[in-house]
Amino acid sequence: MLCNVNQNWKVTLKSRIQSGTFHYQQTLPGIMIPSDPITLVLSIILCLFFVLFFFGRKKNAYNLPPGPRPLPIIGNLHILDMKRPYLTMHELSKKYGPVYTLQLGVEKVVVICGYEAVKDALVNHGDEFSGRAKVPLLDVMYKGHGILFSSNDNWRAMRRFTLSTLRDFGMGKETIENKISEESDFLVQKFRSYKGEPFDNMRNINAAVSNIIISILLSKRFDYEDPTLLKLLKMINESTELLGTPMAMLYNTYPSVMRWFTSVAEKVLRNQNVVHAFIRETFTNQREQLDVNDQRNLIDSFLVKQREEKPNPKLYFTNKNLSVLVDNLFDAGMETTSITLRWGLLLMMKYPEIQKKVQSEIDKVIGSNAPQVIHRREMPYTDAVIHEIQRFGNIVPSNLSHAPIQDVNFRGFLLPKGIQVIPLLTSVLYDKNHFVRADEFYPEHFLDSSGNFVRNEAFIPFSVGKRSCAGENLAKMELFMFFTRLLQVFTFKAPPGAALDLTPAVSFLCGPMPYKMCAIPRV
């Protein structure tokens, strides 16, 4: 009964907020008191915020960079695009410079913009900025475990293990290249099955890319229609979208209050529990069959480390770390690469003349043979197009938040230990000092006047420094091999009458809006 009353209270409160049906009665001259208990509770919360803001703040002994003037309680939330805050952050840097302070609620955040400033922070001051900021929703989900959102010694232990194990199981080697080639053929077969009719490519591309990281994690491959795989992908996709919503941003700004108004934390935890249950069942079964001398995959290697570590009172190779690490690698290994490929096919439909040039180069260099990574050096135009897809797609626009592990002097400012720092990747990938037509899809950003591929130092879609993406080399192999194989076999066209929208979807990762395409077999 109590639970039902509490739930009804939350629903009623939420509906009152949305509808604006608040009622007040006047008691003393000039003083209005709410006439219903719902509004009274809201008023009390608002008053508490005022008290905390004006009387509860510590004196700021740090020299933070300037930024837009905050309002009480909400800080600078009123000037942010709540669906795509990275756009506002990039725009503000034009007024306040490459390092400025933004206030989200009562918490101050330092935003770093442009290639030079981001490199200065993450490379030149890499040790100082190697921590992870405390973000409430991510803390609820991961509690400092795994590799993506952990800090200090736990992060170092997990990163060392991950890098060495990914190399052991083929990252950058012929063994994984063969798996990608085989999976590319499965994806081609799936695309053929639509016989040129319109279809949404998201589920199939997600499944194909996830099978590569699953082969390293679990020594397994799933059929694209396997209900277990589809369930896992659904949970991950939904959570990724939820983490990028305005409600998630409000939860991270006011966690103790917003938990009464939104179920975003409950939903992401529910999804995570489904994924972690599958992971636990998998490693429990593998533990029973473990052979120290025949380690089949990353989970086996982790379990061996777990056995070796047992006498050590300070444990890193725990079951919780294993669940979160596999979750992190599965999410990161699937989502970012599949989103990039979906951007790539959308852009090829949008710019058919670029698609034709890529296909011409594929025909000249590869012909009807299976694409191999070694072909990349002979295909400067295709290489440039893939780089431009990553740059234009801007997959992780806000980067993952960093935090100084100690007080740090940075560009004339004293930043306190633990403050949230956003090294804005959008501002780097769209930096007009390094990309002359930054707002356009322009493969020539990576070509010289003779058509040779040229590197651009500001191309850092995997971030840089000590916390750059551990799977960068694997992702590069996948993007080249999947992309060239698909364009070798098909020409991609929009369904008749369909408009191709390049507006990014609202999500934690910057993917394209849902779209359908036609895969027309090439003669």
Side-chain angles (χ1 to χ4, degrees):
M1 177 66 72
L2 182 60
C3 292
N4 290 336
V5 171
N6 185 46
Q7 186 63 32
N8 291 337
W9 181 84
K10 289 168 66 177
V11 171
T12 304
L13 184 55
K14 193 183 296 183
S15 66
R16 292 288 185 89
I17 292 170
Q18 292 171 347
S19 65
T21 55
F22 300 124
H23 304 284
Y24 292 82
Q25 62 183 9
Q26 187 163 356
T27 54
L28 298 175
I31 299 176
M32 303 296 290
I33 294 179
S35 61
D36 69 288
I38 302 301
T39 309
L40 179 61
V41 171
L42 278 179
S43 301
I44 292 170
I45 291 173
L46 193 61
C47 289
L48 286 174
F49 267 128
F50 270 111
V51 171
L52 287 172
F53 185 83
F54 287 108
F55 302 105
R57 292 180 299 167
K58 295 179 181 178
K59 184 178 180 180
N60 185 9
Y62 295 94
N63 174 28
L64 295 179
R69 184 174 182 145
L71 295 179
I73 302 173
I74 64 171
N76 299 123
L77 287 178
H78 63 297
I79 64 173
L80 286 182
D81 180 339
M82 295 289 283
K83 292 183 176 180
R84 300 177 183 87
Y86 54 89
L87 296 179
T88 309
M89 292 179 190
H90 188 199
E91 193 64 27
L92 288 171
S93 69
K94 298 173 184 177
K95 179 176 182 180
Y96 296 102
V99 185
Y100 67 88
T101 300
L102 196 65
Q103 191 162 308
L104 305 180
V106 296
E107 295 297 323
K108 295 183 183 297
V109 174
V110 174
V111 184
I112 302 178
C113 297
Y115 171 68
E116 281 73 21
V118 170
K119 180 186 176 185
D120 192 10
L122 302 187
V123 177
N124 301 339
H125 294 80
D127 286 327
E128 294 100 316
F129 285 103
S130 64
R132 275 284 182 247
K134 293 289 184 183
V135 179
L137 258 180
L138 299 177
D139 279 352
V140 165
M141 293 176 69
Y142 301 111
K143 295 181 173 62
H145 295 101
I147 185 173
L148 291 182
F149 304 105
S150 60
S151 294
N152 304 320
D153 291 342
N154 189 79
W155 163 69
R156 293 184 186 93
M158 291 300 99
R159 184 170 175 87
R160 278 195 302 269
F161 168 79
T162 300
L163 289 172
S164 65
T165 308
L166 288 177
R167 285 193 294 267
D168 290 343
F169 288 102
M171 187 172 74
K173 298 179 182 177
E174 187 176 347
T175 51
I176 201 68
E177 184 175 342
N178 292 337
K179 283 189 173 68
I180 299 170
S181 182
E182 179 184 348
E183 197 61 47
S184 298
D185 289 338
F186 283 117
L187 188 58
V188 164
Q189 290 175 23
K190 190 65 179 178
F191 279 17
R192 281 191 194 280
S193 71
Y194 295 101
K195 300 179 179 179
E197 295 297 315
F199 67 98
D200 187 327
N201 62 35
M202 179 175 175
R203 191 172 76 176
N204 295 325
I205 290 178
N206 279 353
V209 174
S210 67
N211 270 332
I212 304 304
I213 191 63
I214 286 172
S215 71
I216 296 174
L217 299 174
L218 314 177
S219 305
K220 186 177 176 66
R221 182 189 180 274
F222 287 98
D223 182 81
Y224 294 173
E225 304 302 325
D226 186 288
T228 299
L229 179 64
L230 294 179
K231 186 176 183 179
L232 293 174
L233 294 178
K234 181 178 183 294
M235 299 295 101
I236 292 169
N237 289 334
E238 184 178 277
S239 291
T240 302
E241 290 178 9
L242 284 170
L243 289 171
T245 59
M247 274 299 181
M249 189 172 185
L250 288 173
Y251 183 97
N252 286 328
T253 305
Y254 310 110
S256 59
V257 175
M258 288 305 298
R259 66 189 180 92
W260 297 104
F261 303 117
T262 176
S263 59
V264 64
E266 296 169 21
K267 289 178 179 177
V268 295
L269 278 176
R270 184 184 64 232
N271 291 345
Q272 186 188 54
N273 288 338
V274 172
V275 176
H276 283 200
F278 168 76
I279 295 169
R280 283 194 302 273
E281 180 182 1
T282 301
F283 73 65
T284 299
N285 293 336
Q286 287 193 203
R287 183 180 283 120
E288 295 172 358
Q289 306 166 3
L290 184 62
D291 182 349
V292 174
N293 298 314
D294 183 22
Q295 298 172 33
R296 299 159 294 177
N297 48 50
L298 182 139
I299 288 180
D300 273 5
S301 296
F302 193 101
L303 294 174
V304 170
K305 285 282 189 183
Q306 193 175 67
R307 283 188 181 183
E308 295 172 353
E309 189 189 52
K310 274 188 176 180
N312 187 340
K314 191 173 183 180
L315 302 178
Y316 298 115
F317 290 86
T318 62
N319 288 347
K320 185 62 178 177
N321 250 337
L322 176 54
S323 293
V324 176
L325 176 63
V326 173
D327 181 358
N328 288 167
L329 294 176
F330 186 56
D331 292 1
M334 182 274 291
E335 284 272 47
T336 54
T337 301
S338 62
I339 287 172
T340 306
L341 286 170
R342 289 195 293 116
W343 270 121
L345 298 182
L346 176 61
L347 289 162
M348 292 304 95
M349 292 190 291
K350 184 77 170 179
Y351 302 104
E353 69 284 0
I354 294 177
Q355 183 175 195
K356 286 180 182 178
K357 288 182 181 180
V358 171
Q359 290 173 325
S360 176
E361 191 172 63
I362 290 171
D363 294 343
K364 177 182 176 182
V365 176
I366 302 176
S368 59
N369 299 316
Q372 296 177 301
V373 173
I374 197 172
H375 289 133
R376 188 168 192 158
R377 67 185 66 171
E378 303 174 61
M379 302 173 68
Y381 189 78
T382 302
D383 202 4
V385 168
I386 293 171
H387 276 68
E388 183 67 356
I389 291 167
Q390 290 180 269
R391 185 201 70 82
F392 185 84
N394 186 29
I395 311 301
V396 193
S398 300
N399 209 328
L400 300 183
S401 294
H402 288 239
I405 61 173
Q406 62 193 43
D407 291 356
V408 57
N409 281 294
F410 181 70
R411 294 200 159 201
F413 304 107
L414 180 60
L415 310 185
K417 175 183 177 180
I419 192 171
Q420 184 176 172
V421 173
I422 299 176
L424 195 70
L425 286 188
T426 297
S427 69
V428 179
L429 297 177
Y430 280 71
D431 189 333
K432 292 186 177 180
N433 292 323
H434 293 272
F435 301 102
V436 293
R437 292 164 65 171
D439 297 326
E440 302 175 33
F441 182 73
Y442 187 62
E444 285 73 12
H445 284 139
F446 299 94
L447 296 168
D448 65 17
S449 58
S450 301
N452 299 310
F453 180 81
V454 291
R455 299 189 181 280
N456 189 313
E457 62 180 355
F459 177 76
I460 55 169
F462 301 99
S463 195
V464 288
K466 293 182 177 294
R467 300 211 68 142
S468 61
C469 176
E472 178 176 347
N473 289 334
L474 176 61
K476 288 177 178 178
M477 293 176 69
E478 291 177 292
L479 289 173
F480 177 76
M481 295 183 69
F482 277 119
F483 184 74
T484 53
R485 181 63 174 145
L486 290 174
L487 266 69
Q488 181 186 45
V489 179
F490 302 104
T491 293
F492 295 97
K493 296 183 178 180
L500 298 176
D501 187 358
L502 299 184
T503 304
V506 176
S507 181
F508 183 69
L509 299 176
C510 190
M513 301 283 278
Y515 68 88
K516 289 189 175 182
M517 67 179 192
C518 299
I520 311 300
R522 297 181 66 203
V523 178

